[in-house]
Amino acid sequence: MTEIRSQSMATMAIAASALKAQQGRMRVIAENIANANSTARTAGGDPYRRQVPVFKPTQVAGGEGVSMAKVDPDRSDFRTEYDPGNPAADAKGYVKLPNVDTLVEALDMKEAQRAYEANMNVIETSRAMESRTLDILRK
Amino acid sequence: MGPDDIPLFAMLKSRMGYLSQRQKVIAQNVANADTPEYQPRDLKAYSFKATLDQQSEGQPYRGGVVSPTATNGVQMMATSAAHMAPAKTISPWRSPEQADSETTLDGNSVTLEDQMLKMTDARMNYDAAVGFYQKSMALLKTSTRRPGG
């Protein structure tokens, strides 16, 4: 890790790490929504399990940024539906459906978007401050 | 002799340093807005003492009046081997944990709205300091100009 002397460069590196983390979170949400109806391939098997991203503070150049530490499976129960004709149905005719709630995913997506915008705001403010500083040279 | 030797410029420079450091701390908070159990931080209010602490490197104090805003600052004189110098900290300004108005179920206390407000505050104060710096510089230029030039 290179040492960054400029405070504003450190600020940008921190915000950039957050943009990356939120981007990763969006990827996980997309995965969940895409697989909201993915049932098992075998009869009576487990369907797609919802994935949850976990963030942790991470040292980036010049400060404490953030990164996606891991993606944990959501351990809540699967939904079941009576559908004897389905190839994934068990002996009693029930099909296990993923524990993905598209409403929850949509809310999560909104939150990721909000956090992303906030970090873009930080970069923009930092940039404006830096250019104000450079203005001292010009006049 | 540069602008830093003039107390006013040294003070403004220190103020700008404080504000960009604050901006960095806010960036850390915003970056960790979704990190479980994260407690936001904020710098202690800009004070005379913090400014003095920052400038503790320099000539030892040998009596007489010392200008605290001079760039070389003051340092305690060690007259015995047992005298200890204050430990040098990485940042002259302390950043204690300071919870925002809300704490979510996962223990995160960063409120984006509060942080955005703080960031705007830092930016406006920074702009003011830069403006002051430029005006003072212009004044300095005026005073060094040849009469009628």
Side-chain angles (χ1 to χ4, degrees), chain B residues 1-15 46 51 55 66-72 132-133 136 140:
Chain B
M1 171 102 186
D4 279 358
D5 294 317
I6 301 166
L8 176 69
F9 285 105
M11 240 160 69
L12 284 171
K13 190 181 160 194
S14 161
R15 173 89 174 141
Y46 189 75
T51 318
Q55 294 167 338
V66 176
S67 159
T69 47
T71 39
N72 53 359
F132 208 169
Y133 199 102
S136 308
L140 213 61

mmCIF file of all heavy atoms in Angstrom, chain B residues 1-15 46 51 55 66-72 132-133 136 140:
data_model
loop_
_atom_site.group_PDB
_atom_site.id
_atom_site.type_symbol
_atom_site.label_atom_id
_atom_site.label_comp_id
_atom_site.label_asym_id
_atom_site.label_seq_id
_atom_site.Cartn_x
_atom_site.Cartn_y
_atom_site.Cartn_z
ATOM 1 N N MET B 1 11.494 33.294 3.660
ATOM 2 C CA MET B 1 10.247 33.907 4.137
ATOM 3 C C MET B 1 9.117 33.635 3.143
ATOM 4 O O MET B 1 9.136 34.095 2.012
ATOM 5 C CB MET B 1 10.492 35.427 4.301
ATOM 6 C CG MET B 1 9.228 36.220 4.574
ATOM 7 S SD MET B 1 9.067 36.658 6.298
ATOM 8 C CE MET B 1 7.445 37.394 6.325
ATOM 9 N N GLY B 2 8.187 32.848 3.549
ATOM 10 C CA GLY B 2 7.031 32.563 2.707
ATOM 11 C C GLY B 2 5.771 33.027 3.410
ATOM 12 O O GLY B 2 5.850 33.564 4.511
ATOM 13 N N PRO B 3 4.647 32.827 2.792
ATOM 14 C CA PRO B 3 3.385 33.235 3.417
ATOM 15 C C PRO B 3 3.149 32.560 4.767
ATOM 16 O O PRO B 3 2.470 33.114 5.628
ATOM 17 C CB PRO B 3 2.323 32.824 2.399
ATOM 18 C CG PRO B 3 3.021 32.329 1.201
ATOM 19 C CD PRO B 3 4.475 32.248 1.473
ATOM 20 N N ASP B 4 3.764 31.382 4.942
ATOM 21 C CA ASP B 4 3.553 30.654 6.198
ATOM 22 C C ASP B 4 4.171 31.349 7.400
ATOM 23 O O ASP B 4 3.826 31.051 8.539
ATOM 24 C CB ASP B 4 4.125 29.241 6.084
ATOM 25 C CG ASP B 4 3.169 28.316 5.354
ATOM 26 O OD1 ASP B 4 2.083 28.800 4.992
ATOM 27 O OD2 ASP B 4 3.518 27.157 5.149
ATOM 28 N N ASP B 5 5.116 32.266 7.140
ATOM 29 C CA ASP B 5 5.735 32.972 8.248
ATOM 30 C C ASP B 5 4.826 34.068 8.789
ATOM 31 O O ASP B 5 5.086 34.643 9.831
ATOM 32 C CB ASP B 5 7.074 33.569 7.812
ATOM 33 C CG ASP B 5 8.061 32.458 7.487
ATOM 34 O OD1 ASP B 5 8.107 31.492 8.266
ATOM 35 O OD2 ASP B 5 8.744 32.544 6.459
ATOM 36 N N ILE B 6 3.784 34.379 8.045
ATOM 37 C CA ILE B 6 2.807 35.361 8.518
ATOM 38 C C ILE B 6 1.736 34.604 9.294
ATOM 39 O O ILE B 6 1.132 33.664 8.763
ATOM 40 C CB ILE B 6 2.179 36.131 7.325
ATOM 41 C CG1 ILE B 6 3.292 36.835 6.546
ATOM 42 C CG2 ILE B 6 1.132 37.120 7.809
ATOM 43 C CD1 ILE B 6 2.871 37.329 5.184
ATOM 44 N N PRO B 7 1.528 34.961 10.570
ATOM 45 C CA PRO B 7 0.587 34.201 11.405
ATOM 46 C C PRO B 7 -0.768 33.957 10.763
ATOM 47 O O PRO B 7 -1.300 32.855 10.862
ATOM 48 C CB PRO B 7 0.457 35.074 12.649
ATOM 49 C CG PRO B 7 1.727 35.831 12.708
ATOM 50 C CD PRO B 7 2.173 36.056 11.299
ATOM 51 N N LEU B 8 -1.297 34.969 10.076
ATOM 52 C CA LEU B 8 -2.624 34.815 9.469
ATOM 53 C C LEU B 8 -2.652 33.668 8.464
ATOM 54 O O LEU B 8 -3.548 32.824 8.462
ATOM 55 C CB LEU B 8 -3.040 36.118 8.776
ATOM 56 C CG LEU B 8 -4.374 36.065 8.026
ATOM 57 C CD1 LEU B 8 -5.541 35.936 9.003
ATOM 58 C CD2 LEU B 8 -4.563 37.292 7.151
ATOM 59 N N PHE B 9 -1.613 33.604 7.634
ATOM 60 C CA PHE B 9 -1.563 32.542 6.623
ATOM 61 C C PHE B 9 -1.345 31.169 7.260
ATOM 62 O O PHE B 9 -1.933 30.186 6.822
ATOM 63 C CB PHE B 9 -0.470 32.838 5.600
ATOM 64 C CG PHE B 9 -0.846 33.912 4.625
ATOM 65 C CD1 PHE B 9 -0.321 35.189 4.723
ATOM 66 C CD2 PHE B 9 -1.751 33.646 3.608
ATOM 67 C CE1 PHE B 9 -0.689 36.181 3.834
ATOM 68 C CE2 PHE B 9 -2.126 34.633 2.711
ATOM 69 C CZ PHE B 9 -1.596 35.908 2.824
ATOM 70 N N ALA B 10 -0.500 31.156 8.298
ATOM 71 C CA ALA B 10 -0.256 29.887 8.992
ATOM 72 C C ALA B 10 -1.551 29.367 9.594
ATOM 73 O O ALA B 10 -1.842 28.168 9.547
ATOM 74 C CB ALA B 10 0.796 30.091 10.070
ATOM 75 N N MET B 11 -2.348 30.311 10.149
ATOM 76 C CA MET B 11 -3.609 29.937 10.780
ATOM 77 C C MET B 11 -4.595 29.396 9.737
ATOM 78 O O MET B 11 -5.240 28.377 9.964
ATOM 79 C CB MET B 11 -4.217 31.168 11.449
ATOM 80 C CG MET B 11 -4.403 31.026 12.935
ATOM 81 S SD MET B 11 -4.559 32.632 13.688
ATOM 82 C CE MET B 11 -6.141 33.180 13.091
ATOM 83 N N LEU B 12 -4.683 30.099 8.617
ATOM 84 C CA LEU B 12 -5.602 29.659 7.561
ATOM 85 C C LEU B 12 -5.197 28.302 7.009
ATOM 86 O O LEU B 12 -6.033 27.454 6.717
ATOM 87 C CB LEU B 12 -5.644 30.701 6.436
ATOM 88 C CG LEU B 12 -6.457 31.964 6.730
ATOM 89 C CD1 LEU B 12 -6.235 33.006 5.648
ATOM 90 C CD2 LEU B 12 -7.932 31.645 6.869
ATOM 91 N N LYS B 13 -3.884 28.098 6.893
ATOM 92 C CA LYS B 13 -3.388 26.815 6.383
ATOM 93 C C LYS B 13 -3.770 25.689 7.342
ATOM 94 O O LYS B 13 -4.226 24.623 6.919
ATOM 95 C CB LYS B 13 -1.870 26.896 6.239
ATOM 96 C CG LYS B 13 -1.275 25.721 5.501
ATOM 97 C CD LYS B 13 0.215 25.882 5.431
ATOM 98 C CE LYS B 13 0.872 24.560 5.160
ATOM 99 N NZ LYS B 13 2.316 24.630 5.412
ATOM 100 N N SER B 14 -3.607 25.981 8.618
ATOM 101 C CA SER B 14 -3.951 24.996 9.643
ATOM 102 C C SER B 14 -5.459 24.701 9.617
ATOM 103 O O SER B 14 -5.882 23.549 9.739
ATOM 104 C CB SER B 14 -3.521 25.542 11.002
ATOM 105 O OG SER B 14 -4.178 24.879 12.033
ATOM 106 N N ARG B 15 -6.237 25.750 9.434
ATOM 107 C CA ARG B 15 -7.702 25.607 9.354
ATOM 108 C C ARG B 15 -8.093 24.738 8.145
ATOM 109 O O ARG B 15 -8.938 23.862 8.234
ATOM 110 C CB ARG B 15 -8.326 27.006 9.241
ATOM 111 C CG ARG B 15 -9.802 27.023 8.973
ATOM 112 C CD ARG B 15 -10.599 27.014 10.242
ATOM 113 N NE ARG B 15 -12.030 27.170 9.999
ATOM 114 C CZ ARG B 15 -12.949 26.507 10.686
ATOM 115 N NH1 ARG B 15 -12.592 25.647 11.614
ATOM 116 N NH2 ARG B 15 -14.221 26.706 10.454
ATOM 117 N N TYR B 46 -12.455 22.649 16.109
ATOM 118 C CA TYR B 46 -11.188 23.348 15.890
ATOM 119 C C TYR B 46 -10.911 24.264 17.070
ATOM 120 O O TYR B 46 -11.719 25.104 17.428
ATOM 121 C CB TYR B 46 -11.305 24.172 14.618
ATOM 122 C CG TYR B 46 -10.019 24.781 14.149
ATOM 123 C CD1 TYR B 46 -9.051 24.002 13.545
ATOM 124 C CD2 TYR B 46 -9.787 26.142 14.304
ATOM 125 C CE1 TYR B 46 -7.880 24.557 13.095
ATOM 126 C CE2 TYR B 46 -8.608 26.704 13.851
ATOM 127 C CZ TYR B 46 -7.657 25.910 13.243
ATOM 128 O OH TYR B 46 -6.491 26.462 12.804
ATOM 129 N N THR B 51 -4.432 23.449 17.620
ATOM 130 C CA THR B 51 -3.495 24.135 16.741
ATOM 131 C C THR B 51 -2.113 24.158 17.364
ATOM 132 O O THR B 51 -1.103 23.950 16.703
ATOM 133 C CB THR B 51 -3.971 25.579 16.479
ATOM 134 O OG1 THR B 51 -5.361 25.569 16.267
ATOM 135 C CG2 THR B 51 -3.274 26.175 15.281
ATOM 136 N N GLN B 55 1.594 22.127 16.298
ATOM 137 C CA GLN B 55 2.848 22.818 16.019
ATOM 138 C C GLN B 55 3.845 22.643 17.150
ATOM 139 O O GLN B 55 4.621 23.530 17.449
ATOM 140 C CB GLN B 55 2.548 24.294 15.760
ATOM 141 C CG GLN B 55 1.731 24.455 14.498
ATOM 142 C CD GLN B 55 1.139 25.826 14.353
ATOM 143 O OE1 GLN B 55 0.989 26.543 15.322
ATOM 144 N NE2 GLN B 55 0.802 26.189 13.136
ATOM 145 N N VAL B 66 6.050 33.798 23.303
ATOM 146 C CA VAL B 66 6.100 32.959 22.108
ATOM 147 C C VAL B 66 4.779 33.075 21.373
ATOM 148 O O VAL B 66 3.719 32.982 21.980
ATOM 149 C CB VAL B 66 6.357 31.481 22.489
ATOM 150 C CG1 VAL B 66 6.312 30.616 21.245
ATOM 151 C CG2 VAL B 66 7.684 31.347 23.188
ATOM 152 N N SER B 67 4.862 33.315 20.097
ATOM 153 C CA SER B 67 3.640 33.358 19.309
ATOM 154 C C SER B 67 3.230 31.931 18.962
ATOM 155 O O SER B 67 3.984 31.213 18.306
ATOM 156 C CB SER B 67 3.881 34.161 18.030
ATOM 157 O OG SER B 67 2.915 33.813 17.080
ATOM 158 N N PRO B 68 2.075 31.485 19.425
ATOM 159 C CA PRO B 68 1.671 30.098 19.173
ATOM 160 C C PRO B 68 1.375 29.805 17.711
ATOM 161 O O PRO B 68 1.345 28.669 17.298
ATOM 162 C CB PRO B 68 0.414 29.943 20.017
ATOM 163 C CG PRO B 68 -0.100 31.322 20.189
ATOM 164 C CD PRO B 68 1.077 32.239 20.170
ATOM 165 N N THR B 69 1.160 30.859 16.945
ATOM 166 C CA THR B 69 0.815 30.619 15.544
ATOM 167 C C THR B 69 2.045 30.619 14.639
ATOM 168 O O THR B 69 1.936 30.357 13.454
ATOM 169 C CB THR B 69 -0.179 31.671 15.045
ATOM 170 O OG1 THR B 69 0.293 32.952 15.436
ATOM 171 C CG2 THR B 69 -1.557 31.434 15.592
ATOM 172 N N ALA B 70 3.219 30.918 15.234
ATOM 173 C CA ALA B 70 4.437 30.873 14.422
ATOM 174 C C ALA B 70 4.642 29.443 13.938
ATOM 175 O O ALA B 70 4.305 28.488 14.627
ATOM 176 C CB ALA B 70 5.632 31.335 15.246
ATOM 177 N N THR B 71 5.195 29.283 12.767
ATOM 178 C CA THR B 71 5.290 27.939 12.199
ATOM 179 C C THR B 71 6.204 27.018 12.997
ATOM 180 O O THR B 71 6.015 25.810 12.990
ATOM 181 C CB THR B 71 5.806 27.994 10.754
ATOM 182 O OG1 THR B 71 6.807 28.977 10.670
ATOM 183 C CG2 THR B 71 4.672 28.246 9.789
ATOM 184 N N ASN B 72 7.229 27.594 13.661
ATOM 185 C CA ASN B 72 8.121 26.704 14.396
ATOM 186 C C ASN B 72 7.542 26.276 15.741
ATOM 187 O O ASN B 72 8.004 25.334 16.341
ATOM 188 C CB ASN B 72 9.515 27.319 14.565
ATOM 189 C CG ASN B 72 9.455 28.704 15.161
ATOM 190 O OD1 ASN B 72 8.364 29.211 15.430
ATOM 191 N ND2 ASN B 72 10.602 29.305 15.361
ATOM 192 N N PHE B 132 -10.629 33.733 2.115
ATOM 193 C CA PHE B 132 -9.885 34.598 3.023
ATOM 194 C C PHE B 132 -8.404 34.606 2.638
ATOM 195 O O PHE B 132 -7.749 35.658 2.620
ATOM 196 C CB PHE B 132 -10.060 34.083 4.451
ATOM 197 C CG PHE B 132 -9.941 35.137 5.505
ATOM 198 C CD1 PHE B 132 -10.310 34.845 6.813
ATOM 199 C CD2 PHE B 132 -9.483 36.419 5.203
ATOM 200 C CE1 PHE B 132 -10.206 35.817 7.812
ATOM 201 C CE2 PHE B 132 -9.381 37.397 6.181
ATOM 202 C CZ PHE B 132 -9.744 37.082 7.489
ATOM 203 N N TYR B 133 -7.901 33.440 2.326
ATOM 204 C CA TYR B 133 -6.490 33.291 1.929
ATOM 205 C C TYR B 133 -6.208 34.122 0.684
ATOM 206 O O TYR B 133 -5.236 34.861 0.607
ATOM 207 C CB TYR B 133 -6.196 31.813 1.665
ATOM 208 C CG TYR B 133 -4.728 31.433 1.685
ATOM 209 C CD1 TYR B 133 -4.172 30.801 2.797
ATOM 210 C CD2 TYR B 133 -3.907 31.678 0.595
ATOM 211 C CE1 TYR B 133 -2.845 30.435 2.823
ATOM 212 C CE2 TYR B 133 -2.569 31.323 0.614
ATOM 213 C CZ TYR B 133 -2.040 30.699 1.723
ATOM 214 O OH TYR B 133 -0.720 30.345 1.738
ATOM 215 N N SER B 136 -6.355 37.880 1.392
ATOM 216 C CA SER B 136 -5.163 38.317 2.126
ATOM 217 C C SER B 136 -3.968 38.394 1.187
ATOM 218 O O SER B 136 -3.122 39.278 1.293
ATOM 219 C CB SER B 136 -4.867 37.357 3.270
ATOM 220 O OG SER B 136 -5.999 37.179 4.052
ATOM 221 N N LEU B 140 -1.683 41.556 0.179
ATOM 222 C CA LEU B 140 -0.219 41.512 0.240
ATOM 223 C C LEU B 140 0.375 42.015 -1.075
ATOM 224 O O LEU B 140 1.345 42.769 -1.086
ATOM 225 C CB LEU B 140 0.210 40.073 0.490
ATOM 226 C CG LEU B 140 1.460 39.847 1.322
ATOM 227 C CD1 LEU B 140 1.258 40.430 2.705
ATOM 228 C CD2 LEU B 140 1.760 38.366 1.427
#
